[in-house]
Amino acid sequence: MNVRIAIDCMGGDHGLPVTVPAALSFARHEPGASLLLVGRAPLIEAALARDALVAEQYAMVRDRIRIVHADEVVEMDDSLTTALRSKKNSSMRVAIETVKDGAADAVVSAGNTGALMAIARYVLKTQAGIDRPAIAQLIPNKTGGVTACLDLGANVDCEAEHLLQFAIMGSAFVSALLDKDRPTVGLLNVGEEVIKGNEVVKRAAELLRTSGLNFQGNVEGDDIFRGTVDVVVCDGFVGNLVLKASEGVAQMLAGFIREEFTRGPLSKLSALLAYPVLRRIRRRGDHRRYNGAGLLGLRGVVIKSHGSADAYGYEFAIRRGFDAASHQLLERTATAMAPLLARISESSAAASAAGADVAQV
Amino acid sequence: MNVRIAIDCMGGDHGLPVTVPAALSFARHEPGASLLLVGRAPLIEAALARDALVAEQYAMVRDRIRIVHADEVVEMDDSLTTALRSKKNSSMRVAIETVKDGAADAVVSAGNTGALMAIARYVLKTQAGIDRPAIAQLIPNKTGGVTACLDLGANVDCEAEHLLQFAIMGSAFVSALLDKDRPTVGLLNVGEEVIKGNEVVKRAAELLRTSGLNFQGNVEGDDIFRGTVDVVVCDGFVGNLVLKASEGVAQMLAGFIREEFTRGPLSKLSALLAYPVLRRIRRRGDHRRYNGAGLLGLRGVVIKSHGSADAYGYEFAIRRGFDAASHQLLERTATAMAPLLARISESSAAASAAGADVAQV
């Protein structure tokens, strides 16, 4: 099977020096992938010939690389309006359009999240039954596995029905990326504290219980990192804050470790002796391996890389796009949505029948 | 100055074996403190004579220790109704009542948070202008200092006005505990994502700008651990989830470090050589040193210890109670509330004047 991935080569803090080497490396590792490099063609060509090593890599995968020219670039500080209305030939938009046109099976970008979501939503539209797309990410947990968490910031004021839709999308995301049947789903809620959960979350739990998903009930903040369930659902306000706070803790602790191991010559010596262990610890906590968030609920696979990702991290984002497309993320989402859509159409049929009765009276 | 602290000796996972030694140790370290040990008197007496070491410690501080008998105990799984209505002679309630009666300046308990909040609120009432008490905790940050975060779970569905009140209480908490003039305040919000902040947070920011507090604007999840501001304000749903998730990350990373340093004989040897460094790292991350959350906004100083705290951790909770009482937490809160109360009374005077006008027409 050949999976075609469109890469927004201009997006992110670094652009071409990261996206092009990552794309070449991915193409070499994954013979089933073709890549569309989208952006300013002369600059992409220059990046592909940057040095002998890159040129050699490019020669090895040339038949699976295509350059797609796009004049403009969405900058990190462009307003949504500018990105959406004034830059119709941006690398981001052209890359998304290749998915819309059927020329690519997935798109990867490290550009502005808001612009990517707005353009993807405008160009691709949402899948049937999905009111709002959501952002999902895989987060490492204690078990050595990962927990998918969504929404991470696309939707700040959510209704219970949106949380249900996020659960469906997240479930399909995990089932596609990790090849897992009926992933377990938990609803993020406060536990033993004074009042258990806000009103929206309480109603969402009721909806989830009859959703056909493998719903395990409420989970607490620390369950994300315990790996209690495969999918943790929350609104985008909470999800964004929890994710950022978690990154903050990890950075603080990494800083403590660094400081203490460099405090004086004896500490430095013990760091040297413990080097293999410290390297393994760093590797286990390396966030680059979890790079690549899914913009879910759209009629196309869209993956967002962290803006500051290096080539190593960016390649993981391309990998997520490849996995999602090759394991039918969209079809899995549609299948998981089907019972809900059937129920909605039943109840609207019942409502119009009731309406007809009223009209006859 | 003599500060009197009432200790709910029966509360928490461990009860007397933790609370009594912690109280004795605190009394020895802090000559300005008197302690009221509240609970079943015969059991407290037995705990004070448990062994020669404890008895010796007790002898050293006997003149500053008083035993206050209370028959009943609020259990961790008691309903709020049971705790509040059926156990009027619980150690928790009697301890809180000593504050109400003026016999103590602060109360410390490791019992059920919900029960503690409900009883404290019922017995002590809230301070003028405070609609809802909140739970605040000091959290270690990158700078080596601490960030106060509230609310951590007392209030899940909040209005903007509540967030403003939390900011006032949190500001007074930091100013009392850390002896800091005009602590900086940040409002927890999502940053660069698709939509910036939910409606309640947007309105709260407007209120904070004219509150007279040292408001620095929005902060993100990772700012808690960066130490960007002294006080981070959020609703109890978000605060609880962020705190639990942060604890989850820290536990996961500690687990990674432990696993990697015990993986085979060479790793174990390097752990041995790095022992002084690892001990310093553990000490910096030791959550017991941050034990003792403030239940703020009440007409009395109420400190909640973590239920599972050991004597070392519990002593820190007593320390917080001592610091809050000796540095006039309640007076500082009232002072910070004053401009707001003045404005409320002005606008209600204006409203009744307007009402009078209407009546005249």
Side-chain angles (χ1 to χ4, degrees), chain A residues 76 80 112-114 117 135 140-144 152-157 188-201 219-226 234-238 240-242 244-261 263 266-267 270-271 273-275 277-278 280-281 284-285, chain B residues 76 80 112-114 117 135 140-144 152-157 188-201 219-226 234-238 240-242 244-261 263 266-267 270-271 273-275 277-278 280-281 284-285:
Chain A
M76 289 312 262
L80 291 191
N112 182 315
T113 310
M117 180 59 98
I135 303 174
N141 65 40
K142 229 178 192 170
T143 69
L152 296 179
N155 309 279
V156 291
D157 284 305
L188 198 60
N189 202 349
V190 296
E192 42 177 330
E193 299 313 309
V194 183
I195 313 165
K196 297 215 197 306
N198 66 18
E199 289 309 315
V200 170
V201 171
V219 294
E220 297 195 51
D222 51 347
D223 285 309
I224 299 170
F225 302 95
R226 283 208 182 130
C234 57
D235 74 46
F237 187 73
V238 165
N240 181 280
L241 290 172
V242 162
K244 289 261 170 76
S246 306
E247 288 170 0
V249 175
Q251 279 164 14
M252 178 181 76
L253 295 178
F256 285 178
I257 293 172
R258 207 167 26 241
E259 278 171 40
E260 294 302 339
F261 268 113
R263 193 186 289 277
L266 269 177
S267 300
S270 60
L273 296 169
Y275 179 71
V277 181
L278 293 174
R280 288 204 305 267
I281 293 168
R284 283 183 72 167
Chain B
M76 291 312 263
L80 290 191
N112 182 317
T113 311
M117 181 59 97
I135 303 175
N141 65 41
K142 230 177 190 169
T143 69
L152 296 179
N155 309 279
V156 292
D157 285 305
L188 197 60
N189 201 351
V190 296
E192 44 178 328
E193 301 312 309
V194 181
I195 314 165
K196 296 214 200 303
N198 65 18
E199 289 309 315
V200 170
V201 171
V219 296
E220 296 195 51
D222 51 347
D223 286 308
I224 298 170
F225 302 94
R226 283 207 183 129
C234 57
D235 75 45
F237 187 72
V238 165
N240 181 280
L241 290 171
V242 162
K244 289 262 170 76
S246 306
E247 289 170 357
V249 176
Q251 279 165 13
M252 179 181 76
L253 295 178
F256 286 178
I257 293 172
R258 209 168 24 241
E259 278 170 39
E260 294 303 339
F261 268 112
R263 193 185 290 277
L266 268 177
S267 300
S270 61
L273 296 169
Y275 178 71
V277 182
L278 293 174
R280 287 204 305 268
I281 292 168
R284 283 183 72 167

Side-chain angles (χ1 to χ4, degrees), chain B residues 162-183:
Chain B
H162 300 131
L163 296 179
L164 170 61
Q165 294 168 19
F166 298 167
I168 290 170
M169 298 187 248
S171 197
F173 188 58
V174 165
S175 115
L177 288 192
L178 308 179
D179 200 16
K180 212 167 203 171
D181 254 359
R182 290 181 55 71

Side-chain angles (χ1 to χ4, degrees), chain A residues 107-255:
Chain A
V107 54
V108 179
S109 175
N112 182 315
T113 310
L116 184 65
M117 180 59 98
I119 298 175
R121 193 172 174 167
Y122 178 79
V123 171
L124 299 172
K125 315 298 178 203
T126 53
Q127 288 188 272
I130 306 286
D131 294 319
R132 302 174 176 186
I135 303 174
Q137 184 151 355
L138 300 181
I139 294 170
N141 65 40
K142 229 178 192 170
T143 69
V146 289
T147 308
C149 199
L150 80 166
D151 172 38
L152 296 179
N155 309 279
V156 291
D157 284 305
C158 290
E159 299 298 322
E161 288 73 17
H162 301 132
L163 296 179
L164 170 62
Q165 294 168 20
F166 298 167
I168 290 170
M169 298 186 245
S171 197
F173 188 58
V174 166
S175 116
L177 288 193
L178 309 179
D179 200 15
K180 211 165 204 172
D181 254 1
R182 290 181 55 68
T184 52
V185 176
L187 187 60
L188 198 60
N189 202 349
V190 296
E192 42 177 330
E193 299 313 309
V194 183
I195 313 165
K196 297 215 197 306
N198 66 18
E199 289 309 315
V200 170
V201 171
K202 281 179 194 165
R203 286 213 309 118
E206 285 167 27
L207 294 177
L208 278 161
R209 263 179 222 112
T210 57
S211 65
L213 293 172
N214 191 356
F215 180 54
Q216 302 290 307
N218 290 336
V219 294
E220 297 195 51
D222 51 347
D223 285 309
I224 299 170
F225 302 95
R226 283 208 182 130
T228 317
V229 290
D230 297 315
V231 183
V232 170
V233 174
C234 57
D235 74 46
F237 187 73
V238 165
N240 181 280
L241 290 172
V242 162
L243 187 73
K244 289 261 170 76
S246 306
E247 288 170 0
V249 175
Q251 279 164 14
M252 178 181 76
L253 295 178

Side-chain angles (χ1 to χ4, degrees), chain B residues 139-150:
Chain B
I139 294 170
N141 65 41
K142 230 177 190 169
T143 69
V146 289
T147 308
C149 199
L150 80 166

Side-chain angles (χ1 to χ4, degrees), chain A residues 84-107:
Chain A
L84 194 58
R85 304 265 159 83
S86 317
K87 293 191 167 175
K88 295 199 174 161
N89 197 31
S90 70
S91 58
M92 188 185 276
R93 178 142 181 180
V94 172
I96 292 169
E97 280 169 347
T98 62
V99 173
K100 160 89 174 162
D101 301 341
D105 303 303
V107 54

Side-chain angles (χ1 to χ4, degrees), chain B residues 29-263:
Chain B
H29 289 126
E30 186 49 69
S34 297
L35 299 174
L36 282 68
L37 305 186
V38 186
R40 292 184 176 137
L43 295 179
I44 294 175
E45 278 157 15
L48 286 168
R50 196 185 57 186
D51 57 39
L53 190 70
V54 172
E56 192 189 332
Q57 289 200 330
Y58 179 38
M60 292 164 69
V61 295
R62 190 162 214 147
D63 56 324
R64 290 184 285 117
I65 301 275
R66 214 182 97 204
I67 296 170
V68 178
H69 179 68
D71 258 345
E72 292 169 308
V73 175
V74 172
E75 306 292 345
M76 291 312 263
D77 53 358
D78 276 345
S79 72
L80 290 191
T81 319
T82 304
L84 195 58
R85 303 267 160 82
S86 316
K87 292 190 168 174
K88 295 199 175 161
N89 198 31
S90 70
S91 58
M92 187 185 276
R93 178 140 180 184
V94 172
I96 292 170
E97 280 169 348
T98 62
V99 173
K100 161 87 174 162
D101 301 341
D105 303 303
V107 53
V108 179
S109 175
N112 182 317
T113 311
L116 184 64
M117 181 59 97
I119 298 174
R121 194 172 172 167
Y122 178 78
V123 171
L124 299 172
K125 316 297 178 206
T126 54
Q127 288 187 273
I130 306 286
D131 294 320
R132 302 173 176 188
I135 303 175
Q137 184 151 355
L138 301 181
I139 294 170
N141 65 41
K142 230 177 190 169
T143 69
V146 289
T147 308
C149 199
L150 80 166
D151 174 37
L152 296 179
N155 309 279
V156 292
D157 285 305
C158 290
E159 300 299 322
E161 288 73 17
H162 300 131
L163 296 179
L164 170 61
Q165 294 168 19
F166 298 167
I168 290 170
M169 298 187 248
S171 197
F173 188 58
V174 165
S175 115
L177 288 192
L178 308 179
D179 200 16
K180 212 167 203 171
D181 254 359
R182 290 181 55 71
T184 52
V185 176
L187 186 61
L188 197 60
N189 201 351
V190 296
E192 44 178 328
E193 301 312 309
V194 181
I195 314 165
K196 296 214 200 303
N198 65 18
E199 289 309 315
V200 170
V201 171
K202 280 179 196 165
R203 285 212 309 118
E206 285 167 29
L207 294 178
L208 278 162
R209 262 179 225 111
T210 57
S211 65
L213 294 172
N214 191 355
F215 180 55
Q216 303 290 307
N218 290 337
V219 296
E220 296 195 51
D222 51 347
D223 286 308
I224 298 170
F225 302 94
R226 283 207 183 129
T228 316
V229 290
D230 297 315
V231 183
V232 169
V233 174
C234 57
D235 75 45
F237 187 72
V238 165
N240 181 280
L241 290 171
V242 162
L243 187 73
K244 289 262 170 76
S246 306
E247 289 170 357
V249 176
Q251 279 165 13
M252 179 181 76
L253 295 178
F256 286 178
I257 293 172
R258 209 168 24 241
E259 278 170 39
E260 294 303 339
F261 268 112
T262 50
R263 193 185 290 277

